[in-house]
Amino acid sequence: MLSVRPAHAFNAPFGSSCGPMEIYLPIAEMPVNILFMIGLGAAVGFLSGMFGVGGGFILTPFLMFLGIPPPVAVATQSTQVVASSVSGALTHLRNGTVDFKMGGILLIGGFCGSIAGIALFNALKAAGQIDLFIALSYVIFLGSIGGLMFWESLGALRHGESKVGASNRGPGAHTWIHFLPLKMRFHRSKLYISVIPPIVLGFLIGLLSVVMGVGGGFISVPAMIYLLRMPTSVVVGTSLFQITFIAAFTTMLHAVTNHTVDAVLAILLIFGGVIGVQFGVRFGARLRSEVLRLALAGLVLFICARLGVDLILPPSDPFSVVSETAE
Amino acid sequence: MRIGALLLLILMSASSARAEELAAGLSRDDIKISSSFTGTDLVLFGAIESEGAAIGTVADRDVVVVVRGPNAPVTVRRKERLGPIWINRDQRQFVGVPSFYFVASTKPLQDIGDRATLDRYHLGLAHLDFNPPPGTVMPPADYRAAILRQKARGELYSEQPNGVQFISGSLFRTTIALPSNLPSGTYDVNVYLFRKREIVTAFSTPLRIGKTGVERWLFKFAADEPWIYGLLAVMLAGLAGWISSLIFRQRQ
């Protein structure tokens, strides 16, 4: 699709030619080293297993640093999210820790969010602003999450032990959410709440999924615990259940409207990720969680800074040239 | 061996010429780009056959070789500072921009022909005709310069002022460097013979650049059958997740 692109700074592992261990990515339209890409998938899978996070928010910026066009990085990342969330969701299905009714309500919002997201995505693409928008979304997202985690884990380290849920109001306490209409009973979560907050939450996750290629667990898990007040036991399973479908839907939207899903890249990343997660989980079990969170916060802030600097520094060439394929 | 046969062919075809004619051949005229394609050098051989063989006029003849890829519309965007960040502000479109352009000549183009002639035949990077789509205004000159600069950086545009060499009085050759990111399509190879700053005769031959291999097939599949491609990608990812969860369960 794009024949000429501005040069990216971080292309050290890539030559201009295809060597024996190189493979040409058909959609990203660039050669990459097979072992390097599997290694990247494994490294992010390792982090993901160690910290218990999705990993998409780390992998997508790395793909962009490597010179993969941001729309391809995001779309391919949602394919990778499908694989990792299916794996997690199946485990929770076996353990019976999924609230299907809540998951369904979240999905209604999620599908609407994805459709709104793809409309926004394509409008920005046509206006030539999508690369900037993706980078800005990441800077804001990573900056706030990294900052919060850094602050929280520093505090936890200083006070010796972590305190979970500082403002625990208990299950009987009422918040503004209980005054909203359209209430519904969720047996599995032992809740009787309005469907508006889960639909809005699902919408937000769908939007994030399309624009950033992430699963959104970073937002949905805390929101389900503190806002919806779901029991912690069903939160992760329900979140994984709904994100499986959102990520699949998002992949389809990107594939159909933009042809930006790179199947070869996805396979390499998924393969590496599957292996990496196994080691990450075992390694993470041996470390103190505060230390882990501080390390993750550091990494997230580093990626955020790297993306931010690229936006602020004057570009080497203020012009970018995009040719349509002549075929 | 191959080049030798080619030379023979050119000499034979040129020998049947009447007044003054050009003939040329490429070392390859059909290139298939696979994933292992790292670019290649193409050799063009040509011959001038003139009746009467006036030796005295050898000095004032010049040859220009142009290889031009298919035209494509191009969008140029300009980043400007907005607060702390750099953002694409202005965007302009051009049509008829060649995806590949190579020109080689026996001496610098301005010494070979007049500006009007070079403009008419689009000889030289300065004489390419980039135009905005019909009904829109001409963008400032630096937008056009940006296309030339970035295409040259990608080795898609090049100008070789001394790229054509005469091997003998009537035989000439040039080497065309094709980069790894070569766009596919049918290219036009044109050879022009100049005498006293005027084009005397020309010769044209096609060059086919096609892509091949699994990557090509996947690219076309993603573009032609996006629903099936997307569904397969999702199913593949789901399958990978399922298998990994099976392995994970056994390990626990």
Side-chain angles (χ1 to χ4, degrees):
Chain A
M1 266 166 285
L2 314 178
S3 334
V4 178
R5 293 201 188 88
H8 287 260
F10 230 94
N11 46 13
F14 302 96
S16 58
S17 61
C18 259
M21 280 317 283
E22 304 233 300
I23 190 165
Y24 189 82
L25 301 178
I27 308 296
E29 292 187 274
M30 60 186 278
V32 291
N33 187 295
I34 297 176
L35 291 181
F36 181 82
M37 281 336 264
I38 294 178
L40 181 65
V44 174
F46 183 82
L47 293 174
S48 151
M50 195 159 76
F51 300 120
V53 294
F57 63 99
I58 300 171
L59 198 44
T60 312
F62 262 104
L63 295 178
M64 295 195 285
F65 294 156
L66 293 171
I68 288 167
V72 177
V74 164
T76 306
Q77 182 54 46
S78 25
T79 321
Q80 201 261 345
V81 170
V82 173
S84 59
S85 53
V86 160
S87 174
L90 283 173
T91 312
H92 283 276
L93 277 179
R94 279 187 219 110
N95 299 340
T97 46
V98 177
D99 184 338
F100 289 103
K101 199 170 177 185
M102 181 62 86
I105 298 293
L106 285 166
L107 274 179
I108 294 171
F111 287 139
C112 297
S114 300
I115 291 167
I118 203 82
L120 176 72
F121 193 94
N122 291 344
L124 286 164
K125 198 179 174 195
Q129 304 295 353
I130 192 62
D131 292 11
L132 174 76
F133 187 73
I134 293 171
L136 266 183
S137 306
Y138 266 97
V139 167
I140 294 167
F141 184 77
L142 295 177
S144 44
I145 282 170
L148 279 173
M149 265 188 354
F150 191 76
W151 192 250
E152 185 260 353
S153 53
L154 260 191
L157 271 179
R158 209 177 293 147
H159 294 104
E161 53 193 50
S162 56
K163 289 171 201 156
V164 181
S167 62
N168 207 339
R169 272 183 276 188
H174 279 222
T175 60
W176 56 272
I177 282 182
H178 293 85
F179 297 103
L180 292 169
L182 297 167
K183 288 197 175 185
M184 196 181 253
R185 195 165 293 283
F186 298 94
H187 292 283
R188 190 67 189 80
S189 299
K190 300 187 187 75
L191 283 175
Y192 180 64
I193 56 161
S194 159
V195 295
I196 295 171
I199 284 181
V200 170
L201 176 60
F203 187 88
L204 199 70
I205 296 163
L207 208 64
L208 279 180
S209 174
V210 167
V211 173
M212 301 174 68
V214 293
F218 252 111
I219 287 181
S220 61
V221 170
M224 285 156 94
I225 294 175
Y226 298 111
L227 222 59
L228 305 185
R229 301 190 164 269
M230 283 168 66
T232 339
S233 57
V234 295
V235 163
V236 176
T238 308
S239 165
L240 283 169
F241 166 78
Q242 60 98 22
I243 203 59
T244 301
F245 291 97
I246 296 295
F249 188 61
T250 300
T251 303
M252 288 302 296
L253 289 175
H254 280 299
V256 170
T257 63
N258 289 321
H259 318 312
T260 39
V261 175
D262 198 310
V264 175
L265 179 60
I267 289 168
L268 294 178
L269 295 175
I270 290 169
F271 182 71
V274 164
I275 301 165
V277 163
Q278 311 264 351
F279 290 101
V281 167
R282 269 175 252 168
F283 188 74
R286 288 193 231 135
L287 286 175
R288 277 180 69 192
S289 67
E290 297 84 33
V291 180
L292 275 179
R293 282 208 300 275
L294 192 66
L296 181 63
L299 179 71
V300 165
L301 287 177
F302 171 77
I303 297 171
C304 169
R306 175 74 173 71
L307 280 170
V309 164
D310 281 351
L311 294 177
I312 292 166
L313 282 183
S316 56
D317 188 343
F319 289 96
S320 58
V321 176
V322 178
S323 333
E324 283 161 44
T325 314
E327 275 186 88
Chain B
M1 194 62 205
R2 219 168 142 181
I3 290 169
L6 195 75
L7 267 173
L8 202 70
L9 195 80
I10 294 161
L11 285 171
M12 277 158 59
S13 64
S15 64
S16 64
R18 289 177 311 276
E20 194 162 44
E21 280 200 1
L22 268 176
L26 294 160
S27 52
R28 287 159 76 192
D29 63 1
D30 193 0
I31 293 174
K32 286 264 175 278
I33 300 178
S34 68
S35 63
S36 56
F37 183 74
T38 57
T40 188
D41 278 348
L42 211 57
V43 180
L44 178 138
F45 272 104
I48 306 163
E49 189 63 21
S50 48
E51 210 161 63
I55 304 295
T57 56
V58 165
D60 64 355
R61 68 184 178 192
D62 284 294
V63 172
V64 179
V65 176
V66 176
V67 181
R68 189 175 172 138
N71 287 345
V74 160
T75 305
V76 184
R77 299 192 173 100
R78 178 189 209 139
K79 276 199 169 69
E80 276 171 49
R81 198 173 195 126
L82 185 76
I85 59 165
W86 288 83
I87 178 169
N88 283 333
R89 293 299 292 272
D90 193 22
Q91 77 174 52
R92 301 299 182 94
Q93 251 141 4
F94 290 92
V95 291
V97 179
S99 51
F100 178 87
Y101 185 85
F102 167 93
V103 59
S105 43
T106 41
K107 58 180 185 246
L109 288 162
Q110 66 269 24
D111 302 337
I112 292 179
D114 296 329
R115 193 196 159 94
T117 314
L118 298 178
D119 276 345
R120 191 183 325 141
Y121 293 92
H122 316 307
L123 304 180
L125 293 176
H127 305 277
L128 283 175
D129 55 334
F130 299 164
N131 287 309
T136 56
V137 293
M138 193 64 166
D142 46 353
Y143 284 78
R144 184 196 147 88
I147 298 180
L148 294 177
R149 187 169 61 243
Q150 298 211 4
K151 291 273 193 186
R153 197 186 295 156
E155 296 170 42
L156 291 169
Y157 281 13
S158 65
E159 198 171 298
Q160 313 268 327
N162 298 302
V164 179
Q165 296 100 30
F166 272 100
I167 310 167
S168 72
S170 62
L171 272 178
F172 60 88
R173 61 165 278 168
T174 186
T175 306
I176 303 151
L178 302 175
S180 59
N181 55 338
L182 200 61
S184 53
T186 302
Y187 287 42
D188 290 319
V189 179
N190 286 304
V191 185
Y192 300 92
L193 176 66
F194 277 80
R195 233 177 232 290
K196 296 180 183 129
R197 303 183 74 81
E198 288 297 328
I199 292 176
V200 185
T201 179
F203 178 85
S204 183
T205 182
L207 166 66
R208 273 173 298 275
I209 310 285
K211 289 191 177 170
T212 179
V214 180
E215 299 84 1
R216 184 71 201 146
W217 178 80
L218 272 171
F219 180 86
K220 280 194 82 68
F221 183 32
D224 298 344
E225 304 286 349
W227 284 95
I228 301 171
Y229 178 89
L231 268 177
L232 282 177
V234 168
M235 279 161 64
L236 205 70
L239 191 73
W242 179 59
I243 292 169
S244 79
S245 92
L246 286 182
I247 298 167
F248 209 33
R249 186 166 56 163
Q250 282 169 354
R251 293 275 183 95
Q252 271 176 342

